[in-house]
């Protein structure tokens, strides 16, 4: 029996090694989940703020309004210049319009083109007329290699966001070498007395903002003024705003990560300690290991630690009771067995029938005693098992005490 018990313990030890619940991990799964939940909400919030589509639209509308105001002022200035008269009483745009256009747009950083009523290009602020001919003045874009990693990342983010949420598609701007008003619908609309704003796409995902207004003297339309400006200032403003948002987002992300790690540590580390302590208690039979006391936490983990500690103590008490019960049973069974052994050995040596009958009577009494002990042990085990499975109910002790008192009084009277 001892060998069988040793084999069972060896098997239990092998099973315990393979089924160990505590594993040494650098970062617990609870920490990963807390980090994922907190960071996911923050990333979605930051991405939503970083997508400044509405802010960019407001900047474009503001820039178009400013361009419209400038174009109206320039058109009024051009119409007030002394124009040459025709015999029919009509007027033409002044001959000094080229110099006026360049001077008017120089402080604004915009490009102005003046078209006659027939659509012919009269003046362009990009061209400087001199004695040796015309010189083209054009502001070169920055070299392509100057774009940093952050700007390329933001451009990729814009493409993804535009694909998900949709973005307006503007027509591409094309400019011929020899321009004419018929090349631009907004110019033709301005020659009919309308005010038109346009948005077109340039290279490197920039936009060209334009306003076409009529240049008229009294009721006669002398020509059309086309005022254009690229979106470099708007892109710079949006980029600065995004950089500020990224700084705040980085700070918020760092704080969120640190707080998540701290929160996960206050949850995961105590749970791992409790699991390791429970594993040591399960493996150790000498009661050297106990559940750590965490009642000072005043939270659910402290309640769990206290419950595990109480459960462990209750299990030890139950094991002590089982050991005591087993010792008592062994002692009670050993006495009749000893008596049986002596009676059987003596009966084999005696020749007197009377003495043998007395010994047989003792043997029968011992057998009856053993049977009674085994029945009592079986009843006690069955009762203990039933009590362990029974649901606790409320008992009226007062009624039970009254019944006991009545029984006592009636027996005392007799």
């Amino acid at each position: 029996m001892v060998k069988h018990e040793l084999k069972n313990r060896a098997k239990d030890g092998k099973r315990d090694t393979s089924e160990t619940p505590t594993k040494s991990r650098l970062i617990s799964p609870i920490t990963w989940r807390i980090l994922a939940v907190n960071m996911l909400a923050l990333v979605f919030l930051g991405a939503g703020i970083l997508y400044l589509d509405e802010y960019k639209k407001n900047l474009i509308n503001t820039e178009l309004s400013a361009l419209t105001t400038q174009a109206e002022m320039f058109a009024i200035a051009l119409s007030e210049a002394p124009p040459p008269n025709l015999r029919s009483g009509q007027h033409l745009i002044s001959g000094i319009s080229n110099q006026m256009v360049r001077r008017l747009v120089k402080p604004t950083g915009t490009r102005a083109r003046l078209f006659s009523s027939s659509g012919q290009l009269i003046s362009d602020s990009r061209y400087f007329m001199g004695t040796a001919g015309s010189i083209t003045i054009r502001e070169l874009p920055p070299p392509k290699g100057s774009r940093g990693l952050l700007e390329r990342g933001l451009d990729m983010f814009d493409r993804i966001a535009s694909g998900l949420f949709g973005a307006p598609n503007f027509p591409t701007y094309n400019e011929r070498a020899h321009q004419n008003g018929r090349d631009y619908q907004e110019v033709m609309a301005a020659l009919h007395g309308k005010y038109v704003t346009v948005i077109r796409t340039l290279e490197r995902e920039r936009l060209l903002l334009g306003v076409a207004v009529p240049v008229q003297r009294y009721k006669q339309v002398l020509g059309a003024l086309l005022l254009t400006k690229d979106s470099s200032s708007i892109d710079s403003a949006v980029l600065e705003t995004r950089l500020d948002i990224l700084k705040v987002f980085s700070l918020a992300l760092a704080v969120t990560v640190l707080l998540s790690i701290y929160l996960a540590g206050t949850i995961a580390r105590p749970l791992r300690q409790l699991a390791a302590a429970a594993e040591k208690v399960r493996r150790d039979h000498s009661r050297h290991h106990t559940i750590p006391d965490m009642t000072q936490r005043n939270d659910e983990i402290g309640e769990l630690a206290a419950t595990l500690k109480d459960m462990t103590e209750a299990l030890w008490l139950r094991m002590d009771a089982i050991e005591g019960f087993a010792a008592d049973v062994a002692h009670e069974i050993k006495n009749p067995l000893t008596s049986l052994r002596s009676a059987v050995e003596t009966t084999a040596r005696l020749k007197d029938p009377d003495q043998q009958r007395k010994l047989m009577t003792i043997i029968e009494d011992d057998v009856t005693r053993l049977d009674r002990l085994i029945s009592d042990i079986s009843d006690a085990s069955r009762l203990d098992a039933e009590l362990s499975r029974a649901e606790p109910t409320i008992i009226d002790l007062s009624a039970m005490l009254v019944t006991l008192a009545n029984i006592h009084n009636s027996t005392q009277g007799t």
Side-chain angles (χ1 to χ4, degrees):
M1 183 174 180
V2 175
K3 292 182 179 179
H4 182 66
E5 184 178 357
L6 291 176
K7 289 181 180 180
N8 290 336
R9 289 189 179 182
K11 292 180 180 178
D12 292 340
K14 292 180 180 179
R15 185 174 63 253
D16 294 344
T17 304
S18 61
E19 297 177 358
T20 301
T22 56
K23 297 180 181 179
S24 58
R25 298 185 180 94
L26 184 61
I27 300 180
S28 66
I30 293 180
T31 305
W32 283 119
R33 292 169 188 169
I34 293 176
L35 278 173
V37 171
N38 292 337
M39 290 179 62
L40 190 63
L42 186 61
V43 166
F44 276 121
L45 179 62
I49 297 176
L50 198 62
Y51 186 57
L52 300 175
D53 185 61
E54 193 66 28
Y55 175 67
K56 189 173 182 180
K57 287 180 181 179
N58 293 333
L59 290 179
I60 291 175
N61 293 332
T62 303
E63 191 68 31
L64 287 175
S65 299
L67 281 176
T68 303
T69 303
Q70 293 178 16
E72 290 177 354
M73 294 173 61
F74 296 166
I76 293 173
L78 291 172
S79 63
E80 291 298 328
N85 295 327
L86 298 178
R87 293 182 179 179
S88 59
Q90 295 184 349
H91 305 280
L92 293 176
I93 296 179
S94 175
I96 61 173
S97 58
N98 187 27
Q99 290 79 4
M100 290 183 63
V101 167
R102 292 193 64 255
R103 289 186 179 183
L104 287 172
V105 300
K106 184 177 181 180
T108 62
T110 58
R111 179 186 179 186
R113 280 168 283 184
L114 183 61
F115 296 89
S116 65
S117 58
S118 61
Q120 181 181 359
L121 179 62
I122 298 176
S123 177
D124 190 346
S125 61
R126 182 175 289 182
Y127 296 97
F128 177 75
M129 304 300 297
T131 56
S134 62
I135 300 175
T136 303
I137 304 173
R138 178 177 297 179
E139 183 179 355
L140 295 177
K144 295 183 179 180
S146 64
R147 293 173 63 84
L149 180 62
L150 180 60
E151 295 184 17
R152 291 197 294 269
L154 290 175
D155 290 342
M156 184 178 297
F157 173 78
D158 287 338
R159 295 191 191 97
I160 296 174
S162 299
L164 292 176
F165 304 106
N169 294 324
F170 301 108
T172 305
Y173 174 74
N174 295 317
E175 182 178 326
R176 296 182 180 180
H178 301 284
Q179 302 179 58
N180 192 281
R182 290 186 294 272
D183 299 334
Y184 308 102
Q185 296 179 357
E186 59 272 17
V187 173
M188 299 305 297
L191 291 177
H192 288 84
K194 298 180 181 179
Y195 291 73
V196 183
T197 59
V198 292
I199 302 176
R200 287 192 172 89
T201 304
L202 293 174
E203 71 280 357
R204 298 180 64 174
E205 299 183 359
R206 291 188 304 163
L207 298 177
L208 180 69
L209 311 180
V211 176
V213 297
V215 179
Q216 53 188 3
R217 188 176 180 86
Y218 304 110
K219 296 295 182 179
Q220 179 185 355
V221 177
L222 305 179
L225 177 65
L226 178 61
L227 204 62
T228 57
K229 185 178 182 180
D230 61 7
S231 62
S232 56
S233 60
I234 296 177
D235 296 337
S236 299
V238 173
L239 179 60
E240 291 178 2
T241 305
R242 283 181 167 180
L243 291 178
D244 294 337
I245 293 175
L246 284 176
K247 292 177 183 178
V248 177
F249 174 76
S250 301
L251 179 61
L253 183 62
V255 173
T256 301
V257 170
L258 293 177
L259 291 179
S260 299
I261 293 176
Y262 169 74
L263 178 62
T266 58
I267 297 175
R269 191 180 301 112
L271 290 178
R272 295 175 69 177
Q273 291 176 358
L274 290 176
E279 181 67 18
K280 291 178 180 178
V281 170
R282 185 174 72 89
R283 289 172 174 272
D284 191 10
H285 299 282
S286 60
R287 308 187 187 182
H288 290 163
H289 300 284
T290 58
I291 302 298
D293 187 11
M294 298 183 182
T295 55
Q296 71 278 2
R297 290 176 58 96
N298 295 323
D299 57 6
E300 287 77 3
I301 295 180
E303 295 177 0
L304 175 62
T307 304
L308 287 175
K309 189 174 182 180
D310 295 340
M311 182 186 69
T312 304
E313 293 177 356
L315 288 175
W316 287 125
L317 290 175
R318 188 170 183 82
M319 291 180 65
D320 291 340
I322 293 173
E323 290 177 359
F325 179 74
D328 294 339
V329 168
H331 177 72
E332 292 295 332
I333 293 178
K334 188 175 181 181
N335 291 331
L337 284 178
T338 303
S339 178
L340 277 173
R341 180 184 297 175
S342 300
V344 170
E345 291 177 355
T346 305
T347 302
R349 294 173 185 161
L350 292 176
K351 303 296 184 179
D352 189 0
D354 296 333
Q355 296 292 332
Q356 288 181 351
R357 282 194 297 272
K358 291 180 180 179
L359 291 177
M360 290 301 295
T361 303
I362 294 174
I363 292 173
E364 291 177 357
D365 293 339
D366 290 336
V367 170
T368 304
R369 184 181 175 186
L370 281 175
D371 182 68
R372 185 175 64 253
L373 285 174
I374 293 173
S375 298
D376 292 341
I377 293 171
S378 176
D379 294 339
S381 300
R382 184 173 63 254
L383 180 61
D384 185 64
E386 291 177 356
L387 289 175
S388 64
R389 291 191 296 267
E391 294 291 336
T393 57
I394 299 176
I395 299 176
D396 188 5
L397 292 178
S398 60
M400 184 176 66
L401 292 175
V402 169
T403 302
L404 291 176
N406 294 332
I407 294 173
H408 177 72
N409 295 331
S410 62
T411 55
Q412 288 294 110
T414 59

